[in-house]
Structure formats: structure tokens, C-alpha cells
Amino acid sequence: MAEFLPTARSPISPAPPVTVEHGWEVSARRGSADLLITDCTLLAKVHVRAAENGTVARALGAGFGRAARDERGALIVGSGPGEWLLISPPGTAPEVAGRVEAAPEDGLVSVVDVTHGRALMRISGAKTAELLAKVCGIDLSEDVTPNGAAFRSSVAKVVADVVRDDEDGVRSYLLHCPRSYGQYLFDALLDAGDEFGIEIDGFIAPVAHGKE
Amino acid sequence: AEDGVVLDDGVTGRLGPEHYLMTTTSSGAATVWEWIENWLQTEHPDWRVHVTPVTDAYASINIAGPKSRELLARLAGGVDLSNEPFPYMSVRVGTVAGVDGCFMWRIGFTGELSYEIHVPAAYGLYVWETLMETGAGLGVKPFGVEAQRVLRLEKGHFIVGQDTDALTQGYGAGISWAIKLDKEDFIGKPELAWQSERDDYPRLVGLQPLDRFIVPPEASQIVEGRKNIAGRITSSRFSPTLNRSICLGFVAPHLAKPGTNVTVQLPDGRRITARVMEQHAHFDPEGARARG
């Protein structure tokens, strides 16, 4: 059989220049503004459902409405009662799913790779809360949604999951939505951030720079 | 649904002892998910079942026609595509153009030898382009919704919501083959059992105008006498395969017998005659092309 070199594409068109990382077309643009948006769709995303208080829940460690990193650097997001999304470096979905499936559990556990089904983007910078407040009605104050908070809400009229995941003390949010809405949500955030000088920053592999 | 009405149209594949992949119509996906969750959470909360929507996670491509197997064979890995190990109405998991985790369904709406392949969505464009490039020597061409609509009508595949409405129960749609009243229980059984004992409901039938070159507009009324409405045309196209017009439509039960001539009133006021056919399919009713 012929040699195949599959190329994966995010639903969000990459801003030029375009390169290929981990088999995905990504933007290689470097933004320098105080407010940045990055398409992170190529990150592995694994959806887990299990009993809220079972062994898998305890092993994952993040309760409903909270997000935390595990010892391997994967972000565990408690996205709903008995529901989690595990976000990890590109290409690691089988490994992450395998770890959950191998964990002992006395109830029903389902593990589904939704890497391709969700568009994922990150906004970073001091003005992120002001940007989000224009498109999302959730209280983004420190008291209500501190670092590590996770919620599902309407963002620019799309049902989206939002995770506050500050980086090096800089306020930062991950947002994900069904793939079909990815380009729309990305454009809506760009539009909302225009008054704050938002720029597109291309994806940087976490191993190289410690940033997702 | 619980009222015996045809809710949606799709194929479900069993991927493992306790693992199923259900497909629906595009517009019905969210409705079907909610309907299943409603039944799970309200009627069977004790059942250990998780339903995860994966609609956005896969790009779906239909390869149809006599050379579809030959084309897919050039790109598929891990699956024997020949007819016996991979018959009509089955599903396999393998690679397509080097992409892992692809579902290959031997199903189709066109009535041709056909594969629907579902690839992880981010690879959709890559697989499409690879299919087009690989199939160039086989004469592969994209086909759109209109071509699909003609093909499916030739084969008598009805469209839920066009050839059925919110009152169309199973027997009225002509799917008695799919209704197993000998099962202990299923959603809609009481209503369908009652329907099976009655004869007073409209029937979806195949129709062919006697004048082969008249294509009645969809929604043309079927009439009796001067002003009685006895049905309507639900789908209508000119078939290049048969070189004539073909239709599906609802008729009153007393007009549903094959061979019956019915009167169709066109929007311009003309009335034409159409004949009720033996079955919904106008072409290849045995499905020989799809099963080959």
C-alpha cells in the first residue's frame, strides 16, 4: 500500500504563515500584544463519564466546576456531574484514555476520544475577563471564577465550556465548543477583543515552551 | 417514537458487546440524543448506559457506484472489503488513507454499491482529496444532494419529514418489515399494535404519472371528484435511469392498491393520472446493486 501522510486540520483556518505540527496544520504566527488568542484544537481531548464519587472520580481529582493538572501535566476538567474532559498534548489521547480505562472502577465508565469533535482555543492577557464579559454572562470576578474554575455557558450564543487556566500569573482561559462552531467562536472572540488590541498567536508545542 | 410515529432515520452499528454507534439524519441528531437521554433518565435510570454525541467528531463521505469497492480498496487498511466478509448493512473499523479509527459502513441512500466512511473530522479534507486523487483513473466525481435525491427516489428511500409528517405511523410509511410486534416491548408498541388492527390510515406509495414526461410538483394534491382531497405527492423527480417521472406520495387507504389510477391536480389546475406502484422502489427493488 502507498505511503500516506495524513494532515489534520482544525475547523479554525490558521492565520499565515502556516506550518505543520504533530500532523496538524497550525498557524506559526507570533503575537506580541497584551491580549492573545490561540487555536489549540490539536490538543488531545478525552471525555470521561463515571460515578461522581467513585474510584475514577477520586483518581481524576477534579470535582465538578474545577480544573487541575495531574502529575503528567494533563488538565483534568470537571465539566459536569460525573463528567470530565482531559486535555493533554497532541497525539496523547490513546495513552490518556488507556490510563482511565485501566483504573479500577465498580460502576460504568465510558471514555471517548473527542479530540476531533471539539474546537479548543485559549485567550491570554490582563484584558481577557473584559473580553469574555462582552460575550458571556457569567461573573468572571476572582470570587466567583478564580483560577481553576470550569463552567459551561453561552459564549457568543454558542454553548461552550470555559476553563480559567492562568499561565505564569497571567489570566488565561481555555474555551471549547463543538467543532462545527469553532471558526465562528474564534471570530467572535477576535471581534470582541478588537478594542483591546487582540492578536492571534500560533500554537506552540508544550514540550518546547511549557505552554499549551 | 412512543406514538408510533416515524421520528428519524438512521443506522446503528454494534461495535462491541456493549458498544453501539448510532447514526441519524443531520437535522435529527440533537433531537434523537435528547429523546434517548429523556428515556434513559426518566424511565430507565437504573440502566447503566452512557450516550455520548460524536456528530462533530467525524467527517462522513459516501463513496457510491460500481467501482466504489475498487476505490476504497486502494486506501483502506485492516478490513477485507469483499462481499462475503463485509456484506451489505454491516460496519467495520480500520484505516483509510493512513488515518486510524475510521468507520466503514456498507450502507447508502443511493441504492448503488456504497460505502459511507466516517473519519476523524480533522482528517476529512485530507481523506476527500486523497479519494479524489486516487480515484481519478476510475472516473470518480463528486455528487451532490440533488443527484442523491434522484437516486434515493429511484430506490424508494423515503425522507422523514418530507415523505412522512408528524402523524405518519410506521405502517403508514410502509415499514411493516421493521416492526416486530412479537417483541416483549418497545417504544411505540401499543400504538403500532393498534394501527396494525386498523385500515383507516393514509399509505405512502410509489407513483408514476401515466405521461412519463410530466413531473408533478411536490405537494401536488391527489383528488377524487371535484373537491375531495385524497392525498398528496411528497417527492417527485425525473429519473434519467428510467427516462420517466417517478414519485412518492400519500393516498387514502382505498386508493393504495398497486395498479390503482389516481388523479393528481397540478398547481396550474390541470389534472393528470398516476398509477400506484407495487413498492416504493421504482428501480432495482431487490437491491441487487447495493448487495453486490
Side-chain angles (χ1 to χ4, degrees), chain A residues 1 4-9 24 47 49-50 106-110 112 116-117 178-180, chain B residues 37 48-52 54 56-57 73-76 97-99 120-123 125-126:
Chain A
M1 186 165 286
F4 297 112
L5 292 171
T7 302
R9 292 177 173 88
W24 287 70
H47 183 254
R49 288 183 66 183
D106 54 4
L108 176 64
V109 179
S110 62
V112 180
H116 290 257
R179 179 187 171 91
S180 300
Chain B
E37 281 289 351
R48 287 152 45 112
V49 178
H50 288 160
V51 181
T52 306
V54 292
D56 282 66
R74 295 181 183 185
L75 299 175
V99 177
Y123 293 109
L125 179 58
Y126 159 76

Side-chain angles (χ1 to χ4, degrees), chain A residues 77-88:
Chain A
V77 182
S79 28
E83 180 186 340
W84 295 263
L85 188 73
L86 282 52
I87 302 173
S88 58

Side-chain angles (χ1 to χ4, degrees), chain B residues 89 158 171 173-180 280:
Chain B
M89 289 298 283
F158 64 80
Y171 289 103
I175 55 169
S176 58
W177 53 269
I179 302 170
K180 309 297 180 191
H280 292 170

Side-chain angles (χ1 to χ4, degrees), chain B:
Chain B
E2 43 270 40
D3 52 8
V5 168
V6 181
L7 175 65
D8 199 64
D9 178 11
V11 180
T12 295
R14 189 175 189 183
L15 303 179
E18 297 181 343
H19 184 195
Y20 297 82
L21 182 61
M22 172 182 276
T23 71
T24 69
T25 62
S26 305
S27 54
T31 298
V32 172
W33 176 43
E34 287 177 17
W35 178 74
I36 290 174
E37 281 289 351
N38 182 40
W39 274 90
L40 263 179
Q41 294 181 31
T42 63
E43 299 295 327
H44 298 288
D46 53 313
W47 284 6
R48 287 152 45 112
V49 178
H50 288 160
V51 181
T52 306
V54 292
T55 302
D56 282 66
Y58 292 93
S60 304
I61 299 171
N62 180 210
I63 311 167
K67 296 182 183 176
S68 56
R69 181 181 282 128
E70 185 176 349
L71 172 53
L72 185 56
R74 295 181 183 185
L75 299 175
V79 176
D80 185 346
L81 297 178
S82 37
N83 196 28
E84 204 174 298
F86 191 175
Y88 178 63
M89 289 298 283
S90 56
V91 59
R92 301 289 182 265
V93 184
T95 67
V96 177
V99 177
D100 290 329
C102 298
F103 299 105
M104 290 171 256
W105 304 76
R106 248 200 86 178
I107 60 175
F109 207 37
T110 62
E112 296 289 320
L113 175 63
S114 168
Y115 298 85
E116 286 191 10
I117 57 172
H118 297 179
V119 309
Y123 293 109
L125 179 58
Y126 159 76
V127 172
W128 173 271
E129 291 178 336
T130 306
L131 281 164
M132 292 299 293
E133 185 184 323
T134 305
L138 297 172
V140 70
K141 286 187 170 27
F143 73 99
V145 171
E146 184 55 24
Q148 186 200 57
R149 288 290 177 106
V150 175
L151 288 165
R152 71 92 191 176
L153 186 57
E154 289 175 349
K155 291 295 300 175
H157 294 312
F158 64 80
I159 293 175
V160 175
Q162 172 168 334
D163 300 301
T164 71
D165 59 31
L167 299 176
T168 306
Q169 294 177 308
Y171 289 103
I175 55 169
S176 58
W177 53 269
I179 302 170
K180 309 297 180 191
L181 290 179
D182 56 352
K183 281 168 70 171
E184 187 181 330
D185 194 15
F186 58 87
I187 296 172
K189 181 176 177 180
E191 279 284 337
L192 288 169
W194 184 34
Q195 190 187 29
S196 72
E197 296 165 3
R198 298 174 4 240
D199 195 33
D200 60 351
Y201 48 91
R203 305 292 205 277
L204 183 68
V205 298
L207 292 158
Q208 290 186 2
L210 296 190
D211 184 335
R212 65 194 311 141
F213 294 109
I214 294 181
V215 184
E218 290 168 352
S220 295
Q221 301 293 294
I222 294 170
V223 296
E224 270 188 306
R226 284 190 58 231
K227 2 180 221 190
N228 289 339
I229 295 174
R232 68 184 185 279
I233 300 292
T234 57
S235 289
S236 183
R237 288 292 191 282
F238 188 83
S239 163
T241 305
L242 300 169
N243 194 35
R244 61 122 57 246
S245 50
I246 55 174
C247 308
L248 284 173
F250 271 107
V251 295
H254 66 280
L255 297 174
K257 186 177 171 186
T260 303
N261 285 344
V262 299
T263 302
V264 180
Q265 174 145 334
L266 304 181
D268 63 8
R270 286 182 294 153
R271 292 187 169 199
I272 64 166
T273 303
R275 178 165 297 134
V276 175
M277 307 306 292
E278 284 287 335
Q279 61 270 316
H280 292 170
H282 298 271
F283 175 72
D284 186 22
E286 302 303 319
R289 287 192 174 194
R291 296 172 194 277

